[in-house]
Each structure stands twice: as C-alpha cells, then as structure tokens.
Amino acid sequence: MDQYIESSGVRIYLSDNTYTPREDSFLMYDCILEYFTGTNQPIVEIGTGSGFTIIQVCSKWTNLTNIATDISLDACLLTLKNAKTNRIDNLHIVRTDLCLPFRKGDHLSTVIFNPPYLPADPDTDGMMSESELHQLVGGKKGYEIANRLVNIENLSGSQILIIISSLSTNPVQFAKFHNTRNVQVIRTLHLGFETIWILLIKVMT
Ligand SMILES: C[S@@+](CC[C@H](N)C(=O)[O-])C[C@H]1O[C@@H](n2cnc3c(N)ncnc32)[C@H](O)[C@@H]1O
C-alpha cells in the first residue's frame, strides 16, 4: 500500500526516490505560518520534494496561486499526485534548476528553499542514487546550492527563507558570503549531530 503522512488536513504520499518530509520540512512550514500569514504574494518553493510544504500553503491560502519547482522529475510527479489527491488547483509545478526560468518581480517576491545541504563525501556518495544526491548533497562544502540560489539575479527584491546546516556552514559565515543582503536567523534547531538554521534573507534591489 502507498505510504503517506497527514498534516493540517492534507495527505502527502511518499515515494522511495523523493525526500520524505522530516524535521527540516516541518520547521520550514512553521516559519511560513509565522512570517507569511496574510501575504497576498505567491510563494515559490524551490526543491519541493513531495510537495509537503507548498501543498499545505496552497490548501491554507486558496487566494494565492503558488509555484513549486524541483530538479527531479520524480519529485515533480509526486507533487502533482499530492496536489491532485488534495484537490489543489492553485499550484504550478515546474521541473527546473532552482528558479532560473522565472523573471524577477512579483512572482518571485517570496521564495522558500529547504536545499540539499550536506557536504559531499567521496566515501559514500558513490553508493547514492542521483535522486538521493539531489535530496541531500549541496556540493563539495555543502552550501553551494544554497549560495547559488541567493545569488541568482532574478531574485533581486525578493525575500528568501532558506535552511543551512552546521555540517556545512553557519549563519555568520553564510552572511559573509552574502554581505550585500540582509541575513537574519529566524529559527535554530538542534538535532543531536547537527544544528540547522532557517535564515530570512532580504535581497536588495
Ligand atoms: C532536502 S530536500 C527538500 C524537499 C522538500 N522541500 C521538503 O522540505 O520536504 C531538497 C529538494 O531539492 C531538490 N533540488 C536539489 N537541487 C535542486 C536544484 N538545483 N533545483 C531545484 N531543486 C533541487 C531535490 O530534488 C529535493 O527534492
């Protein structure tokens, strides 16, 4: 039988080759509720995985038509399945690298990303499938994909919620990479072997 989880009245089917929502996904959704409740701007979720976060957003704020992207076709198809299961019709799903096809402006005013954030490990990465690498490994140091997103030109003027991990970097170091942006730590979660932070980044125009 297909496995699923339920959250806020939404049912999310899971799949072996797509990221299963966990602490970081739950933390991201909590932050969206805290920071974006009442927004009238669409939310763009990069790397949507199963669609766990954006489908709850779509279900809660039916006045917004939001966007989900993922580099993995399996993740996009699972998000589509989960959108249909929950009768969500205010979501566009796009298979792409980050948010590269979109033009700057209103559609990119609010962007969220729970990126792959672990550093590459030559001893074990060879045993992972391509989709597992996309889910978990953010580059040689671990923060490269997060850095790429924050530096994308079409995000000037946007606010970005993004997760970083102590296994790769820390808020002070990450803010130094982006010293022309306003970087604020809004949540810290200790997970035993690592700490993750959610950063709110305001990209100046
Ligand atoms: C840590 S998982 C998060 C999934 C989901 N947002 C969640 O919180 O449960 C990272 C997701 O980012 C996707 N991803 C990795 N690199 C990407 C890229 N360059 N562009 C878009 N999505 C990417 C992966 O396929 C994966 O679904």
Side-chain angles (χ1 to χ4, degrees):
M1 212 169 71
D2 283 353
Q3 281 195 312
Y4 62 82
I5 55 172
E6 286 187 325
S7 174
S8 309
V10 158
R11 177 173 292 194
I12 299 294
Y13 284 97
L14 308 175
S15 145
D16 284 347
N17 48 14
T18 300
Y19 193 77
T20 295
R22 57 198 73 164
E23 291 88 345
D24 48 7
S25 324
F26 307 148
L27 192 65
M28 178 60 89
Y29 182 59
D30 279 354
C31 287
I32 293 167
L33 292 182
E34 186 174 337
Y35 282 83
F36 301 141
T37 292
T39 183
N40 55 7
Q41 301 291 350
I43 291 180
V44 178
E45 183 179 31
I46 314 294
T48 194
S50 61
F52 169 83
T53 307
I54 200 72
I55 287 174
Q56 289 184 84
V57 168
C58 289
S59 157
K60 202 165 178 58
W61 300 315
T62 49
N63 58 318
L64 300 177
T65 297
N66 303 298
I67 299 175
T69 80
D70 207 291
I71 203 161
S72 151
L73 180 59
D74 288 331
C76 291
L77 292 173
L78 184 61
T79 298
L80 180 62
K81 172 178 169 173
N82 284 324
K84 284 184 175 168
T85 299
N86 293 288
R87 298 179 192 281
I88 297 297
D89 59 8
N90 53 333
L91 178 64
H92 298 295
I93 302 164
V94 185
R95 182 191 188 190
T96 185
D97 182 12
L98 301 177
C99 52
L100 292 178
F102 306 119
R103 300 176 65 177
K104 74 176 178 187
D106 287 349
H107 290 302
L108 285 176
S109 65
T110 304
V111 173
I112 62 172
F113 191 20
N114 176 10
Y117 48 64
L118 299 182
D121 180 344
D123 293 336
T124 55
D125 289 356
M127 292 182 262
M128 285 200 226
S129 66
E130 193 186 4
S131 77
E132 283 172 318
L133 289 170
H134 280 317
Q135 291 167 41
L136 301 174
V137 179
K140 205 168 170 187
K141 305 271 189 197
Y143 50 71
E144 289 88 336
I145 292 182
N147 265 355
R148 270 183 64 221
L149 179 79
V150 178
N151 284 329
I152 285 179
E153 238 176 71
N154 55 5
L155 289 180
S156 76
S158 306
Q159 51 182 349
I160 304 170
L161 278 187
I162 196 162
I163 299 184
I164 58 168
S165 158
S166 58
L167 299 178
S168 151
T169 184
N170 62 61
V172 173
Q173 184 188 33
F174 197 79
K176 276 192 192 147
F177 298 145
H178 303 288
N179 59 7
T180 58
R181 282 110 167 95
N182 179 331
V183 180
Q184 202 188 333
V185 178
I186 59 168
R187 287 291 175 90
T188 301
L189 180 66
H190 302 293
L191 292 169
F193 62 99
E194 73 173 326
T195 299
I196 58 172
W197 296 274
I198 297 207
L199 308 179
L200 175 62
I201 302 180
K202 295 194 175 148
V203 186
M204 324 299 176
T205 44

